[in-house]
Amino acid sequence: MNKKNSLILALDVVSRDKALNLTELLVDHFDAIKVGYPLILHAGLGIVEEISSISPVIADLKIADTPNTNRLICEAVLGAGADAIIAQAFPGKDSLVACADCAESFGADLFVVTEMSHPGAEQFMAPLAERMARLAVESGASGVVAPATRPERIRLIRSIIGDKLIISPGVGAQGGSAGEALQAGADYLIVGRSVYGSADPLASTKELLDQIQSNYSNEI
């Protein structure tokens, strides 16, 4: 991804028209649009192709199956135009390498989930996050997913993965701080409901951009 504003829009809406309208409205302010099961299942896989004609697309299917099934899923969504995929590490290295190999064949990025942003992730994912981060590096991933809701976890994951990318969900509706996540080492912030659920998505986006700019200014 080409970094403009360090923002990724999680477009977890279910209407094709709303998804396309939001993409067109906000495309200049986001580096990528993240789409997942809610939108794809309601609008069909073709929505990936439609949005990818406007903006880079990250397909957040949290792919987690056997190597062959992972490959088939990756081929379908990357063939539809996605620029990146998100996969889980817990099925093991062979399954993750299948995703990495497929992503490489399409010239796409693979992001591996180390720890999700909701409270329940602390129950099973957090204790294994370091191992999953190392596995992401070993498998040739472009980067990982680490929670903006727990900046200290971003800092820990950064110490493991070096200069690979970190994309961080949880800013906004889940209470994560944009500034704290960036300071901890996140490269991109993933925001969703606080933007697409806003009465004025563009104004909410600009407000968030102001916060990010203020964070960068404070670091200078």
Side-chain angles (χ1 to χ4, degrees):
M1 289 181 290
N2 294 321
K3 185 182 287 190
K4 298 181 296 186
N5 294 317
S6 300
L7 282 182
I8 295 168
L9 176 61
L11 201 53
D12 293 325
V13 299
V14 297
S15 162
R16 170 186 172 274
D17 289 344
K18 184 173 183 178
L20 292 175
N21 289 338
L22 283 166
T23 298
E24 291 171 351
L25 175 67
L26 302 172
V27 63
D28 292 335
H29 304 288
F30 287 87
D31 299 320
I33 305 294
K34 184 174 76 71
V35 301
Y37 286 111
L39 181 57
I40 292 174
L41 290 176
H42 281 84
L45 186 57
I47 192 63
V48 174
E49 181 177 1
E50 290 185 278
I51 294 177
S52 69
S53 69
I54 305 169
S55 166
V57 170
I58 300 173
D60 184 8
L61 301 180
K62 294 186 177 67
I63 303 165
D65 215 305
T66 63
N68 185 62
T69 301
N70 277 6
R71 177 182 58 82
L72 294 173
I73 295 169
C74 291
E75 287 176 347
V77 74
L78 292 172
D83 298 272
I85 50 177
I86 294 177
Q88 297 280 14
F90 61 76
K93 187 172 182 178
D94 55 350
S95 291
L96 200 54
V97 167
C99 295
D101 288 347
C102 191
E104 183 179 10
S105 71
F106 278 89
D109 290 316
L110 166 65
F111 293 100
V112 177
V113 179
T114 61
E115 187 176 331
M116 294 168 69
S117 53
H118 66 297
E122 295 186 83
Q123 185 174 8
F124 293 114
M125 300 190 79
L128 296 175
E130 294 173 55
R131 291 177 62 185
M132 290 192 284
R134 293 188 182 95
L135 185 57
V137 174
E138 294 169 7
S139 301
S142 303
V144 302
V145 180
T149 47
R150 294 182 286 279
E152 73 281 0
R153 305 297 294 167
I154 297 176
R155 194 170 289 109
L156 174 63
I157 297 302
R158 171 59 71 200
S159 72
I160 295 169
I161 67 167
D163 61 358
K164 290 188 178 293
L165 297 173
I166 295 178
I167 61 176
S168 294
V171 171
Q174 292 188 57
S177 163
E180 290 181 10
L182 291 170
Q183 290 171 7
D187 295 289
Y188 295 90
L189 306 174
I190 301 172
V191 296
R193 284 170 286 172
S194 60
V195 170
Y196 70 72
S198 169
D200 190 338
L202 186 57
S204 296
T205 298
K206 290 179 178 178
E207 181 179 348
L208 182 56
L209 287 171
D210 287 342
Q211 294 176 23
I212 293 172
Q213 185 60 44
S214 175
N215 176 73
Y216 284 141
S217 298
N218 291 335
E219 291 182 345
I220 296 175

